[in-house]
Amino acid sequence: MEVVPYKENEQGKKEQVAQMFNNISKRYDLLNHVLSMGIDILWRKKAVRMLKPFAPKIILDIATGTGDFAIESVRLKPIKIYGVDISEGMLEVGRKKIEAKKLDNLIKMQLGDSENLAFEDNFFDAVTVAFGVRNYENLKLGLSEMFRVMKPGGHVVIIEFSKPSGFPIKQLYNFYFKAILPTIGKLISKDQSAYTYLPESVSAFPYGDKFLDIMNEVGFTETKAIPLTLGISSIYWGSK
């Protein structure tokens, strides 16, 4: 059964995810950093450091949201970063952040479908995604699109939640995700479904080796998963 934010809604997952992020966009950054206790910032920094030896010049940040990963990628000194998201509300917040940092000439934020990217084949040196792939309606199609638009020799780096397996982290993680996080999310965002959907979507996501299998299936090589913070999240790496 497909996991969606609004179970009583008859729209498809893609439309519901866009609606959800539009609903919480004004409070998303606050929530993101509070709920992760700021660790998500360190995860993005680590992912960007992995790309540094390859000096990518044109970067695509998929499910860019409010642009945090795109902004962090400026450290790589690219000539252009494109941020794509299906939520106009999130992009609007992101554009304001980017303008405030005077990065609007470098980073272009645009509305788009990650499973049907409006870019030509072999265009990007690197593709980044943070906490976006589990929201795909069709995961394999989304990964295929990343592969298509990436140049031969390019790299993809994906950050996504995992499920820790060791005691007592597993038990603490499950309690936090299922009890604490939805309560805080509801209080701050006023959208209970958004933060009930989060643990449900993480539980349904094929993390670890299963995700690497899908990456390999669509054509990525040199794939690997790097656990972060006791297995709470992982960085997935692939080459073309």
Side-chain angles (χ1 to χ4, degrees):
M1 183 179 170
E2 187 174 54
V3 175
V4 294
Y6 307 107
K7 295 173 181 62
E8 70 287 350
N9 192 319
E10 292 182 1
Q11 288 180 304
K13 181 173 180 177
K14 197 176 295 181
E15 291 76 19
Q16 289 197 36
V17 167
Q19 180 188 336
M20 178 187 76
F21 281 115
N22 284 335
N23 290 346
I24 66 173
S25 58
K26 299 286 191 295
R27 308 251 176 154
Y28 178 80
D29 281 343
L30 170 65
L31 270 165
N32 206 24
H33 301 322
V34 166
L35 293 172
S36 72
M37 293 171 282
I39 299 171
D40 63 302
I41 297 168
L42 301 178
W43 294 341
R44 288 186 186 87
K45 288 182 183 297
K46 182 178 176 68
V48 166
R49 283 199 302 271
M50 289 176 67
L51 286 170
K52 193 171 184 181
F54 305 99
K57 292 304 174 195
I58 306 176
I59 300 172
L60 173 63
D61 186 38
I62 293 175
T64 193
T66 62
D68 280 350
F69 212 167
I71 291 166
E72 186 62 36
S73 297
V74 170
R75 293 176 182 274
L76 298 169
K77 298 183 172 60
I79 57 173
K80 197 72 180 178
I81 302 171
Y82 293 84
V84 172
D85 203 278
I86 57 170
S87 165
E88 186 56 52
M90 296 285 276
L91 289 168
E92 188 181 327
V93 175
R95 287 187 191 108
K96 287 175 183 172
K97 280 163 62 173
I98 287 161
E99 284 170 18
K101 292 175 181 290
K102 297 183 168 54
L103 294 171
D104 39 321
N105 286 332
L106 178 61
I107 303 173
K108 182 181 180 183
M109 303 281 272
Q110 61 191 65
L111 194 66
D113 181 353
S114 304
E115 295 166 42
N116 185 22
L117 293 167
F119 300 102
E120 61 192 70
D121 296 358
N122 308 314
F123 186 71
F124 295 98
D125 299 298
V127 177
T128 62
V129 195
F131 312 110
V133 291
R134 75 177 188 285
N135 297 321
Y136 281 2
E137 198 165 73
N138 185 326
L139 180 57
K140 189 174 177 182
L141 178 60
L143 289 171
S144 297
E145 277 292 273
M146 289 182 213
F147 187 80
R148 177 185 68 78
V149 300
M150 203 165 74
K151 291 177 185 174
H155 301 90
V156 63
V157 61
I158 298 167
I159 308 172
E160 192 52 85
F161 288 113
S162 300
K163 287 185 279 187
S165 55
F167 177 86
I169 298 302
K170 176 183 177 180
Q171 288 72 18
L172 290 169
Y173 176 88
N174 287 339
F175 176 72
Y176 180 73
F177 249 54
K178 291 173 183 175
I180 307 295
L181 186 146
T183 304
I184 298 172
K186 181 187 177 184
L187 285 171
I188 298 178
S189 74
K190 313 301 182 193
D191 187 328
Q192 183 173 4
S193 297
Y195 290 90
T196 305
Y197 164 75
L198 177 54
E200 289 175 352
S201 65
V202 171
S203 291
F205 181 70
Y207 69 100
D209 288 342
K210 290 180 181 175
F211 185 66
L212 292 179
D213 286 344
I214 304 170
M215 290 184 71
N216 292 330
E217 210 176 314
V218 303
F220 288 109
T221 59
E222 301 175 340
T223 55
K224 59 183 176 180
I226 301 157
L228 300 167
T229 317
L230 303 172
I232 291 171
S233 286
S234 297
I235 291 178
Y236 297 96
W237 173 270
S239 307
K240 180 174 177 179

